Structure formats: structure tokens, C-alpha cells
Amino acid sequence: MRKYFFSVLLFALSAVQAYAACPSGTTIGSGKIDRKEICVIEGNYANHNLVLTPDYAWVLKGDVRFGTGAVRQNNTDKVAATLTLEAGTVVYGSPQSFITITRDAQIFVKGTAAQPVVFTALDQVNPTPGYWGGVVITGNARINNCKTTSTLGFCEGFIEGVASEIAPRYGGPNDQDSSGSIEYLRVEYAGYTFGTDSELNAITFYAVGNQTKVEYIQAYKGADDGVELFGGTVNLRYVVSTDNDDDGFDWDQGWSGAAQFIYITLENASEKDPNGIEADNFKDNHSVTPRSNPTLSNITIIGKGKNPKLFNGIMLRHGTGGRIYNTLVAGNFQNCLNIDSDETFRNGGEIVNGQVQQTGLVMENIILQCNQNQIAQDSKDLWSVEEWFYASVEQNNYVKSPTENLLDADGVTPLAQGPALKTGYLPPEDIFPGGFEFIPVDYVGAFGSSLQKWTDGWTLE
């Protein structure tokens, strides 16, 4: 009798321990994933710090938010909530679920090359693009899209995918805002579409400030854009966008950060105008400020497969500014480079003594090698895009024949004796707000050689 009672007691204690295993604010789910107990993350963690570890399978349900959404006007203001994800943690998104880090919250992703943090579809048997929503980070930096003006006088917007009356707001007065830090994050099969012009991307940065650290992120097979930035000043390094349905890397609403080492592929894109990079100032007012004006270096954009709908390797439009260096665009695009909208031309270049000069748009040390068309030109354009591209010898810009071999057998890294290796300009020596500095390299594109592939180990092809 005593032995039986002791066995029952042990069983009861183990059941209590199992029930208590999920941290406060989460609930026990049914079944297991990869032999791990399920903890469900649901609702609003307004003033809650949550740490996710690889010991459990974490499942998102519905509209999950961290923080209250209040404005943090400087970096000494109180952080309402934090989400920390330890190396090797896997989070599973259920249909229509997504996660938002609001303006007074922070996220800390502590992945490694050997153990990245992964957000993926709950259905691992037949995952499809757009199965779940994605990762949304909102901050307090400036934007140029005034959906409303706060009582303190700065612009605010509402994130896509949620009705405006309940949507988290983004934007504020603090370009030096910090939303935390992200290292080695992979987001798979995201981009759920809620309605017309109302969809989420795999990874979205809304008004995120330049004290936020973002390095080693991948957006994999999403239904909309891979990585999109709405305003803000966040800087990024080591970005991968793989076979998303729309744009690989998209900026809008006044983004003015810096980025180095970006690798984009498009292959099965199903949207009407998928671009490797799609760059806007603001579609409703092309000249509004703060103008989109980022600085980027070491980008590789590859159009794979035979999909004839792949639109542009790089599309610069709606008044965007920017500086782009050491970039390779190749493969199956209708155009390698396209510039659109009168304000983009007015801001981007000017005609001096009959010759086009680059002004608000700068591209230097660029190689274009697309198998349909290299440079798009509209009869209504204010100047010749081709002349702008070749404005001076010092720009070191080239168009290469599709039959010329530029890349190694892996289709990504430069050929040892090819024009992309040891020909790159040193990136700008500026120290950007937030302390971002470009790493000096002497090659065109995101990679120097097959031995220097920073994507190895933590990304999916």
C-alpha cells in the first residue's frame, strides 16, 4: 500500500512539474513537436519579460504582442516588456498568427551559426509561403508617413495586417531608439495575407532606431516581401532573402540606415512585380521628408529559374534617395536596374553641360548581368538611366554579357579570375549613427569566395 501510494505521489508530482514547465504567461499545448513539450504563446504581454529556450516547442496563436505600444522618447525611458530567445530556440507560427514587438518593448535574439533561432510554420509536413504572419518590430524613430500626428508633434503609422483602430502604431521622435538586438534569426514560410494591400512580411522593421543591432537574418520562402523597412534608421549586416513571393529587400517611408552584405534570390515569386530590391520614399507623396536615403554595400541579387515574371533586380522609385556600392545583379530579371517616378529623377540626378550627374542617387562599382534587359528606360524619364549609370569612369559600373562567366560553380561566389573579385571599392569610411561602420572588403557582391560564405550553417537554400 505504501509503495503504491509513493508511486501515485511521484506520478502526481511529475504531472505538476510538467504542467509548471511552461513559463508564466504561456500555456501547455497538446501533443509534442520534435519530442518536445509545447508551450503556447498567446495574447498581449504588456508588461512581461519572457525567455524562450530550445527545451520546448513554442507555438504562436493569433495576434501576439510584447509591450503596451507607448512611445519611448529616449533610451532611458522604461522598457515595458522584453522577449529573449536563446540559441537553438524554434517558434512555430499557427495560421494567422504573428508577433509584434511594440514601441516600448525589446527583442533579444541570441542565435549562433550552429544554433540559429528559427520562426517557422506549425505545419512541418507541407509548409507553404504565407502559412503564418511573421515577425514585426516597431520603434520610435522618425517616419514620413503621417497616418496621424501625436500630441507631441511627430508622425505615427499603423502596421499592415491589422485594422487601424487596433493596430500597433509605429514612429516617434527618437532616431537613436533601441528595439534590442538580433543575431542569427531565420524566419520561414511567413507573410500571411489578411486582405487587399493588407499583408505581413517575413521580417518587418517599422521605425526601428539605429541603436538596435541586427546581424545575420534570413527571410525564407515568404508570401510577401522578405525583409521590409518602413522608415527609421536601423542598420543591418548579413541579410539573406531567399525565394520570397514578392520583393527580397524593400524600403519605404524614409528609411535612412546603412546595410552591408545582403544576399537575395528570387525564383518562384508569384506576385505581379517581384523585385530583388524595391526602394521607395513614400508612394503618396514622393518628396516628403525625411526622405529615404540609406547607404548599402556588398549586395548580390540573383534571379533564378525560368520564371518570366521576375521584374527588376533593383527598382528605385517614388522619390527615394540612396547610395549603393559593390553590388552584383544577375540572372533572370526583366530588367537588372529600373528607375521610376519623376521625383526619383529630380532628386537622383541632374543634367550639367548636357551630361547626367549622380546626385541624390549614387551607384558605384556595380555589375549588371541579366538575361533579359540590363537597364530599363521610359520615354517620359527626365534623363537617360544608362548615361546616369555610366556618369563617370570613377564609378566603375559595368554591364556584362549573360554569356560571360562571373560566378563560381556554386552560382553565388565570384569566379577566381572574374571581374567581381579584387575589384571592389572600399565602402564608405563614414561612421554612421548608431556606430555602424562598413567592413573594408575589395570585392563586388555579398561574398568574397566560397571559403568566405557567411551564410554557411544557419541558412536554408
Side-chain angles (χ1 to χ4, degrees):
M1 181 69 177
R2 180 177 299 174
K3 183 176 181 181
Y4 173 78
F5 174 80
F6 185 69
S7 298
V8 171
L9 178 61
L10 284 179
F11 176 81
L13 287 174
S14 65
V16 170
Q17 288 172 349
Y19 183 78
C22 289
S24 173
T26 67
T27 57
I28 296 287
S30 60
K32 294 185 178 182
I33 300 176
D34 195 23
R35 293 183 292 184
K36 296 178 181 179
E37 299 290 345
I38 294 173
C39 296
V40 178
I41 304 171
E42 182 179 12
N44 187 2
Y45 297 79
N47 294 281
H48 194 99
N49 298 330
L50 185 61
V51 179
L52 309 186
T53 66
D55 307 290
Y56 298 92
W58 307 91
V59 174
L60 297 178
K61 185 177 179 181
D63 178 350
V64 177
R65 304 185 191 188
F66 281 81
T68 68
V71 178
R72 295 176 63 240
Q73 296 192 64
N74 57 66
N75 292 334
T76 63
D77 289 352
K78 183 180 182 297
V79 175
T82 62
L83 173 65
T84 302
L85 301 100
E86 300 291 348
T89 298
V90 180
V91 181
Y92 299 89
S94 58
Q96 301 187 44
S97 70
F98 63 99
I99 186 166
T100 302
I101 308 301
T102 71
R103 292 183 295 191
D104 62 346
Q106 291 180 325
I107 183 171
F108 298 94
V109 176
K110 299 181 177 182
T112 66
Q115 292 185 299
V117 170
V118 178
F119 283 79
T120 189
L122 181 59
D123 182 354
Q124 288 290 289
V125 177
N126 186 32
T128 55
Y131 180 88
W132 67 289
V135 176
V136 176
I137 303 174
T138 67
N140 298 284
R142 292 179 301 151
I143 62 173
N144 63 26
N145 171 23
C146 266
K147 292 291 186 183
T148 185
T149 303
S150 80
T151 56
L152 299 175
F154 51 79
C155 291
E156 295 180 303
F158 313 109
I159 75 165
E160 295 182 5
V162 185
S164 60
E165 60 269 18
I166 60 171
R169 296 187 179 192
Y170 62 95
N174 182 18
D175 285 348
Q176 288 73 47
D177 187 36
S178 173
S179 294
S181 64
I182 297 174
E183 292 183 275
Y184 292 102
L185 169 67
R186 189 172 74 235
V187 178
E188 306 170 359
Y189 308 109
Y192 189 88
T193 299
F194 291 87
T196 304
D197 295 327
S198 182
E199 61 274 320
L200 295 175
N201 309 296
I203 308 172
T204 312
F205 298 93
Y206 284 97
V208 175
N210 59 38
Q211 293 299 311
T212 309
K213 181 179 181 180
V214 180
E215 293 190 348
Y216 300 101
I217 63 173
Q218 181 182 23
Y220 179 79
K221 290 186 180 295
D224 196 50
D225 299 335
V227 177
E228 184 160 11
L229 302 105
F230 291 93
T233 56
V234 65
N235 305 310
L236 307 93
R237 204 189 313 268
Y238 304 114
V239 177
V240 183
S241 182
T242 305
D243 195 19
N244 293 285
D245 275 352
D246 198 10
D247 308 314
F249 190 85
D250 190 333
W251 71 75
D252 199 350
Q253 297 182 19
W255 178 53
S256 60
Q260 187 178 21
F261 305 119
I262 302 174
Y263 174 46
I264 300 167
T265 66
L266 289 182
E267 185 171 1
N268 299 302
S270 61
E271 297 291 328
K272 63 179 181 181
D273 59 348
N275 303 295
I277 288 177
E278 182 176 280
D280 300 287
N281 184 38
F282 182 45
K283 66 179 181 179
D284 294 336
N285 184 345
H286 298 178
S287 61
V288 69
T289 58
R291 188 186 296 270
S292 294
N293 192 33
T295 303
L296 307 97
S297 186
N298 297 102
I299 307 169
T300 295
I301 303 171
I302 305 292
K304 292 186 172 183
K306 298 181 180 180
N307 183 349
K309 292 178 61 178
L310 300 184
F311 197 23
N312 303 289
I314 298 177
M315 164 62 92
L316 306 172
R317 66 180 192 182
H318 294 165
T320 190
R323 296 184 292 168
I324 301 175
Y325 303 94
N326 299 326
T327 293
L328 169 67
V329 185
N332 185 35
F333 289 104
Q334 294 179 32
N335 309 292
C336 261
L337 171 65
N338 195 351
I339 299 177
D340 198 11
S341 312
D342 286 352
E343 179 61 24
T344 318
F345 282 87
R346 281 191 288 266
N347 175 68
E350 61 181 4
I351 299 176
V352 178
N353 298 324
Q355 294 183 324
V356 181
Q357 295 183 354
Q358 296 189 355
T359 53
L361 280 175
V362 173
M363 294 186 76
E364 294 184 1
N365 212 39
I366 311 298
I367 297 176
L368 306 180
Q369 191 195 44
C370 293
N371 60 15
Q372 296 187 55
N373 188 39
Q374 307 299 336
I375 298 174
Q377 187 72 61
D378 192 294
S379 60
K380 297 181 291 184
D381 291 343
L382 302 183
W383 35 256
S384 165
V385 179
E386 185 172 4
E387 288 182 16
W388 173 89
F389 185 73
Y390 292 120
S392 68
V393 174
E394 289 76 16
Q395 287 175 238
N396 205 38
N397 292 341
Y398 298 96
V399 168
K400 297 294 183 179
S401 167
T403 60
E404 184 175 349
N405 194 5
L406 300 183
L407 301 176
D408 212 337
D410 61 8
V412 176
T413 54
L415 196 66
Q417 304 302 320
L421 201 58
K422 296 183 179 179
T423 59
Y425 286 178
L426 293 179
E429 296 181 356
D430 313 36
I431 299 177
F432 290 82
F436 184 94
E437 296 182 69
F438 283 99
I439 297 171
V441 295
D442 64 350
Y443 50 83
V444 176
F447 308 99
S449 74
S450 58
L451 300 177
Q452 297 174 306
K453 286 181 68 177
W454 45 266
T455 54
D456 287 347
W458 63 280
T459 66
L460 298 178
E461 293 291 333

